[in-house]
Amino acid sequence: DAGVIQSPRHEVTEMGQEVTLRCKPISGHNSLFWYRQTMMRGLELLIYFNNNVPIDDSGMPEDRFSAKMPNASFSTLKIQPSEPRDSAVYFCASEFSGNTIYFGEGSWLTVV
Amino acid sequence: KQEVTQIPAALSVPEGENLVLNCSFTDSAIYNLQWFRQDPGKGLTSLLLIQSSQREQTSGRLNASLDKSSGRSTLYIAASQPGDSATYLCAVRPSSGNTPLVFGKGTRLSVIA
């Protein structure tokens, strides 16, 4: 398997623009997680899905953030409108039933 | 609410030294604990996973221990090498196996040749 695949790897966008981050989890995994990493706050869980169903989105900072998982092989994290304080690395990760978790390489977002 | 702390935030050691990284957590009711490595610009790679019933796990030069009652784990790296330079993160999974990991902020390790 190619692992967890995220796109884009890097994005620079202007404040107010919509940003869509994409994730393809490992085939057969039933849980998918979106994390955000910054120097100040470390790794923060934004939202996670079990069997494509959102379980806990309490980590989503504001209504500007939304996430979907339309099927077992694809998820998106959308920020609309984006703000400079959203600049961070966004990681997608997947696992099967509480076993070893696998992370993607991350999407590096800069909002100017 | 579970909180995970890693001390020190950064560590620099000469090559060949044995070293210990520390992790503490506030709620001892955990399902498992994992240690990860993160290289600059990369994602996290799982190094060792310790189930709540286990006391330690070993992989090559790495040994992780778990003391649930005191809320502590250590990652021991033997005979450190420059290639070990990375950030090491500790994460705990709360009591239910289907809940997400809670991460510490990591220890940034530099091994000097």
Side-chain angles (χ1 to χ4, degrees):
Chain A
D1 200 308
V4 177
I5 300 173
Q6 292 187 244
S7 64
R9 286 297 319 278
H10 299 271
E11 176 142 350
V12 180
T13 190
E14 291 185 347
M15 182 173 63
Q17 296 297 306
E18 178 179 293
V19 173
T20 299
L21 308 178
R22 298 173 178 80
C23 176
K24 181 181 184 330
I26 292 174
S27 177
H29 283 189
N30 58 359
S31 294
L32 182 141
F33 307 85
W34 283 100
Y35 285 91
R36 178 171 68 176
Q37 186 177 42
T38 61
M39 288 291 292
M40 288 295 293
R41 301 171 71 96
L43 261 173
E44 301 174 284
L45 177 70
L46 300 177
I47 186 172
Y48 77 100
F49 298 82
N50 281 344
N51 298 313
N52 313 338
V53 176
I55 303 301
D56 184 356
D57 65 354
S58 61
M60 298 284 260
E62 299 170 32
D63 291 345
R64 299 184 295 107
F65 286 69
S66 62
K68 294 182 180 179
M69 191 166 186
N71 57 61
S73 60
F74 184 67
S75 177
T76 59
L77 177 67
K78 186 175 293 187
I79 308 172
Q80 167 62 23
S82 58
E83 297 182 3
R85 60 193 168 121
D86 301 332
S87 298
V89 185
Y90 291 81
F91 286 104
C92 176
S94 71
E95 69 179 25
F96 178 73
S97 297
N99 293 309
T100 301
I101 189 170
Y102 294 85
F103 279 77
E105 296 277 87
S107 291
W108 297 69
L109 174 65
T110 302
V111 183
V112 298
Chain B
K1 178 185 173 185
Q2 178 73 269
E3 293 183 2
V4 179
T5 303
Q6 293 186 247
I7 296 173
L11 180 65
S12 184
V13 300
E15 181 178 7
E17 190 164 299
N18 301 325
L19 60 99
V20 174
L21 306 181
N22 296 297
C23 171
S24 61
F25 45 96
T26 54
D27 187 345
S28 62
I30 64 170
Y31 183 74
N32 61 37
L33 180 145
Q34 295 187 45
W35 282 93
F36 294 83
R37 169 182 173 140
Q38 185 177 25
D39 292 292
K42 300 290 187 180
L44 282 70
T45 300
S46 181
L47 297 173
L48 290 165
L49 185 154
I50 310 177
Q51 300 293 353
S52 61
S53 59
Q54 298 175 321
R55 295 298 300 269
E56 65 177 348
Q57 283 286 341
T58 298
S59 176
R61 294 182 294 107
L62 305 180
N63 176 277
S65 67
L66 173 63
D67 184 343
K68 265 183 37 175
S69 61
S70 67
R72 293 181 182 181
S73 175
T74 61
L75 178 66
Y76 175 82
I77 303 177
S80 58
Q81 303 170 358
D84 295 330
S85 298
T87 297
Y88 292 81
L89 294 100
C90 169
V92 300
R93 192 180 299 272
S95 191
S96 167
N98 288 325
T99 53
L101 291 164
V102 178
F103 283 84
K105 291 187 177 181
T107 294
R108 188 171 65 255
L109 173 67
S110 296
V111 181
I112 310 301

